[in-house]
Structure formats: C-alpha cells, structure tokens
Amino acid sequence: MHNALKKMITKDLIGIKNLSAGDIETYLSAAYEMKALFSKTGKKSELFAGKNVSTLFFENSTRTRVSFEVAANYLGAHFSAMNASASSVSKGETLIDTGKNLDALRIDTVIMRHPMAGAAALLSKNVQASVINAGDGAAEHPTQALLDFFTIKEHLGSFKGKRVAICGDIKYSRVARSNIWGLQKLGASVTVCAPFTLLPCGIENFGVDIELNPVKAITKADVIMGLRVQLERQEKTLPSLAEYAKFFSITAERIQAAKATKAIIMHPGPVNRNVELSSEVIDCSSSTILPQVTNGVAVRMAVLNLTNEAKLNKGASK
Ligand code: NCD
C-alpha cells in the first residue's frame, strides 16, 4: 500500500512542518482504513498484539490521552499511562534518562506531551522507541492537525482552493502552527483572526492572511476553526475573555453577516463556550467538533501503525 510515499514516514512523528504533502496524505489514507476497521463493532485489530504503548504527559489532557489509549486498544496493544507529575521526573530525573528507562521497559511507542517546544524531538533522538508528539509547548501538535485534515477532507472532499479561517489564540497555539504548516502544503489558504496580542511575532512570514475583523476573516471561508484562548500559557491575558468574546467570538450573527453559513465549524477542544465560539455555533448542524474526536482515534491508530512500520523497516534494512 502506498509504497512510494510510505518511505518518507519515519519512526517518530514530531511535527507537520517537516512532512511533505505526500506524507500527510499517506497518514490520511491509512486513517481511512483504520476508521473503517473500528467502525465495525467489536472488530479489533491484532496489528499491535504484544506491543507496549505508553503515554508520558507533562501537561494536562483529557481527550488526546484517552484518544491514544482507545487507538492503542483497538490495535490490540498493551497500554500504560505514565503521569509525569507522579513519576521519577518529579524527583529530578532528566527527560533523556526517563526515555532510556522506557526503552529498558521495552516500550515500543512513547506518546509525549511536554510544555517545552522541542522536547519530543530531543526524546526521539535518544530512544529506540517511536516517539509521537502529543503537543510540545506552543510548537506543534501533529496528530491534532492530521485529524483536522482528515475531518476537512471527509466534509469538503479536497483542500485545493479551500479557505480555512483560524480564529482564536494563534500566538500560544500549537494546533494553529501545525494546521498552518499542513493546510498550506495541502493546497488550502489560511486566514488567521485574533487581536494583535494573540498573534505571534513574525506571523507575516507564515504565508497566511491576517484579519483583525472576525466577519471579514470568515467571509469566503469553507472552514471556521475556533481555538481556545490559552490562559495557562500567558503571563497576562490581553484582552480579557469578556473583551475577546465581545469583539472576536464567532457567533451566528457574524456567520450570517459574512454569508458563511455553508462553512463547517471546527475546534480541537476543550471549548470555552461563548468565548471563541458561541454556544449556538458549537451545537449547530455544521459543527464537526464531535466527529473530530471520533476521527482522532482513526488518525492515531494510523500514526501508531505507520511509525511502527517505519521503525521495523529501518531495522530490517540495517
Ligand atoms: C489542544 C492542545 O492541548 O494543544 N487541545 C487538544 O489537544 N485537543 C488545544 C487546547 O488545549 O486548547
């Protein structure tokens, strides 16, 4: 299957920035197969029978961690969750030493979330296990972006000529960065919409359109993606959540004013109702927020499987 393309997939998935459009399409095609597999009730794969998958999370998470756990279970893996605050890391062990211990435990795949940008890349260079980045600081969150691409393709059929408006905290969001890199590789255009204080330095070099007016930002959008204002990463919240909601929230009125009623509404979760998106918009019929969660399982099954295959192929060619 997709042999010419698959060669580009490596044992680790650290970010979208270094993937080609072909690599992304390879992950998406594999995710379609995985979705068909787990949609059949009771059908479990044996692809990961006898393999150990572990999460190593240094930051809070609900859906991403559970999504990886469900994906590992559907593949027939043994799953263990290492909670970094309750592990030896909190006793001063370095990340590399923790990784070497995971290798010694014969963990095949480590899924890590860490507050520092670059942490997953560092770990991947020091362990035998496959490393999947489940979020490193504000840098990348590749499996979230892949599930977003999968959902867009499922609803719109293709990326070429499509416009995605990403509205919310762009500055502190790894989801924004992974989506911006990947959507452009796939042929879509991206508009970002946020107050200046929530746009990163150098945004003008990201290849995106920048719009401070939410109605203008979503005019002609095929996809409207809301992002949470990431209070936990900010020293000061500027603007306040109430001000953000008043001037930037994507509401039904703003969607009407922009004539963007055909756009699909996305959000990686967790949503702050009536801040980045109004409650009415979150629950409307064109919202794909819950289908995104379902698609996340299929995408993570594909990522676990393809990174593992890449590791085995590399071992075989040595
Ligand atoms: C995102 C994250 O952690 O980066 N959530 C997620 O993985 N579903 C976005 C967020 O926390 O707002």
Side-chain angles (χ1 to χ4, degrees):
M1 158 185 94
H2 325 294
N3 276 333
L5 293 172
K6 212 195 264 181
K7 280 193 204 118
M8 305 298 291
I9 307 277
T10 65
K11 86 168 180 60
D12 310 299
L13 177 60
I14 305 302
I16 299 291
K17 198 171 187 178
N18 295 328
L19 298 182
S20 65
D23 297 338
I24 297 173
E25 291 289 3
T26 302
Y27 277 122
L28 299 185
S29 306
Y32 276 101
E33 289 170 24
M34 293 299 177
K35 188 166 180 182
L37 184 92
F38 87 77
S39 300
K40 292 185 209 152
T41 323
K43 288 283 188 304
K44 234 173 127 168
S45 146
E46 294 298 312
L47 281 167
F48 262 52
K51 293 203 182 294
N52 285 307
V53 172
S54 180
T55 47
L56 176 61
F57 273 42
F58 294 83
E59 275 187 3
N60 293 341
S61 162
T62 341
R63 92 212 64 221
T64 303
R65 201 165 54 78
V66 173
S67 174
F68 272 109
E69 180 168 355
V70 172
N73 285 335
Y74 277 130
L75 291 174
H78 279 291
F79 178 86
S80 46
M82 196 189 230
N83 173 0
S85 63
S87 75
S88 297
V89 175
S90 63
K91 300 181 184 171
E93 187 174 76
T94 69
L95 179 58
I96 293 173
D97 283 332
T98 304
K100 291 196 185 306
N101 278 272
L102 292 170
D103 272 348
L105 289 166
R106 302 289 183 263
I107 301 293
D108 298 282
T109 304
V110 181
I111 299 143
M112 185 170 78
R113 172 168 285 190
H114 198 285
M116 300 286 290
L122 175 72
L123 184 70
S124 71
K125 292 192 180 90
N126 287 283
V127 296
Q128 304 286 316
S130 286
V131 174
I132 298 172
N133 181 10
D136 61 327
E140 285 245 29
H141 191 350
T143 58
Q144 177 65 47
L146 287 173
L147 78 86
D148 294 337
F149 306 155
F150 185 97
T151 308
I152 292 172
K153 200 168 174 187
E154 193 169 58
H155 283 80
L156 304 182
S158 67
F159 300 95
K160 293 251 165 353
K162 302 291 190 303
R163 178 161 291 273
V164 181
I166 307 182
C167 306
D169 180 348
I170 311 295
K171 182 171 182 179
Y172 296 97
S173 174
R174 49 200 175 206
V175 178
R177 283 175 185 69
S178 291
N179 265 283
I180 288 169
W181 309 137
L183 286 167
Q184 295 184 93
K185 286 174 202 272
L186 293 167
S189 314
V190 179
T191 303
V192 294
C193 179
F196 275 125
T197 48
L198 296 181
L199 288 171
C201 257
I203 184 70
E204 59 283 3
N205 302 320
F206 283 43
V208 296
D209 292 310
I210 303 162
E211 189 47 76
L212 301 181
N213 175 325
V215 173
K216 285 192 186 155
I218 61 175
T219 300
K220 301 209 172 90
D222 301 286
V223 176
I224 300 170
M225 183 184 293
L227 290 180
R228 188 173 63 90
V229 178
Q230 310 230 343
L231 292 177
E232 74 278 18
R233 296 191 201 285
Q234 302 173 16
E235 283 155 23
K236 277 195 201 130
T237 314
L238 286 171
S240 70
L241 288 186
E243 281 173 313
Y244 182 90
K246 181 163 186 223
F247 295 108
F248 287 90
S249 183
I250 302 301
T251 58
E253 294 72 39
R254 287 187 171 134
I255 291 177
Q256 289 286 350
K259 299 191 175 62
T261 48
K262 292 211 171 79
I264 59 166
I265 309 295
M266 301 182 74
H267 195 297
V271 288
N272 284 331
R273 281 185 176 259
N274 298 316
V275 181
E276 57 272 15
L277 302 174
S278 74
S279 240
E280 193 185 353
V281 169
I282 291 168
D283 299 326
C284 74
S285 59
S286 42
S287 164
T288 64
I289 298 174
L290 292 175
Q292 282 172 263
V293 177
T294 307
N295 290 340
V297 176
V299 162
R300 288 173 176 125
M301 288 169 77
V303 168
L304 285 169
N305 194 41
L306 290 185
T307 50
N308 184 60
E309 275 185 14
K311 184 170 60 184
L312 297 180
N313 289 340
K314 198 168 171 222
S317 63
K318 266 185 193 162

